[in-house]
Amino acid sequence: LLALALGIAGFVFAMVRDHDHKWDLTSDQRFTIAEQTTKLAKAFKEPVRIYAFFRTGSAESQAFRDLAESLEQASPLIEVEFIDPLRDRSMVAEFGITSEYGTVVMVKGESRQRLESDFSEEALAAALVRLAESVDHRVCWSQGHGEGDPDDDYQREGYGALVLKLEDMNYTVTETNILTDGIDQGCEVLAVLRPIYDLL
C-alpha cells in the first residue's frame, strides 16, 4: 500500500509539474496578460532568457514576477530568472547593472533588450517586438574632437555603460571620424558627445 501511495503521489507530482497552470479569478483580470502579449510570446521559435534584477522582496520584483509567470506559461521557450543584485555581483558585472530599482535584460541568441524603470506589460511587449526583429541599428560615434570615449567604463567622462545599454537594445555602435571619413550613410544616428574642439 505504501509503495502504491508513493507511486500515485509521484504520478500526480509529475502531472502538476508538466501541466502547471494558474487561473485569474479577479473580476478585472488584473493578473492576466493581454492576448497580443501572449501571441508575441508564442511567436518565438528559439529560446528567450529573461534576467530580472530586483532586490528580494521588493514591490517591483513581485509585480514583475506576475508578468514573468504569465510569459512562461504562454511559451515554453521563455525562461525567467530572478537575480538579487545585492547578492550576485558577478551577474551584475556581466550585464552592467547600475540601477537600484530594478533592471530586466532579455536575451535571444546575440540579441538583447533592456528595461529600466518601466516594467509594465506595455514596455515588456514593446521589448518583445524589438527582440523578435533581431535588427541591428547603427549608431555612429563621432571621434577626433575630444569626444567622450565609448569604450571607457572606468572614468566619469567615459560612456562605456551607455554603449552597453545601447547594445542591449540592438544598436551597433561604431566609431567614426566625420572630419576625415564623413558620415556613413548606413548610420541611423550620429552621436557627438561633449566635444572639446570645434567641429570644422
Side-chain angles (χ1 to χ4, degrees), residues 23 44 82-83 179 183:
W23 287 269
F44 286 102
F82 280 81
I83 302 166
L179 183 62
I183 301 175

Side-chain angles (χ1 to χ4, degrees), residues 112-115 130 135-137 162-172:
R112 290 186 179 185
Q113 286 296 315
R114 193 181 188 99
L115 295 177
R130 294 193 301 269
V135 175
D136 283 335
H137 301 281
L162 172 61
V163 170
L164 178 63
K165 292 180 181 182
L166 286 170
E167 291 173 343
D168 283 345
M169 293 187 290
N170 289 352
Y171 287 96
T172 299

Side-chain angles (χ1 to χ4, degrees), residues 145-156:
H145 309 89
E147 295 92 338
D149 187 351
D151 295 322
D152 188 350
D153 295 325
Y154 304 103
Q155 301 182 64
R156 287 185 58 189

Side-chain angles (χ1 to χ4, degrees), residues 12 30 73 90 124 176 182 196:
V12 170
R30 72 180 63 180
Q73 189 170 311
S90 61
L124 183 64
T176 182
I196 297 175

Side-chain angles (χ1 to χ4, degrees), residues 5 17 53 63 104 114 117 147 161 166:
R17 181 191 60 194
F53 292 87
V104 173
R114 193 181 188 99
S117 72
E147 295 92 338
L166 286 170

Side-chain angles (χ1 to χ4, degrees), residues 61-83:
S61 175
Q62 186 54 51
F64 189 78
R65 191 176 295 275
D66 293 332
L67 277 175
E69 289 176 356
S70 296
L71 281 178
E72 289 180 314
Q73 189 170 311
S75 172
L77 292 177
I78 294 180
E79 185 176 349
V80 183
E81 179 181 353
F82 280 81
I83 302 166

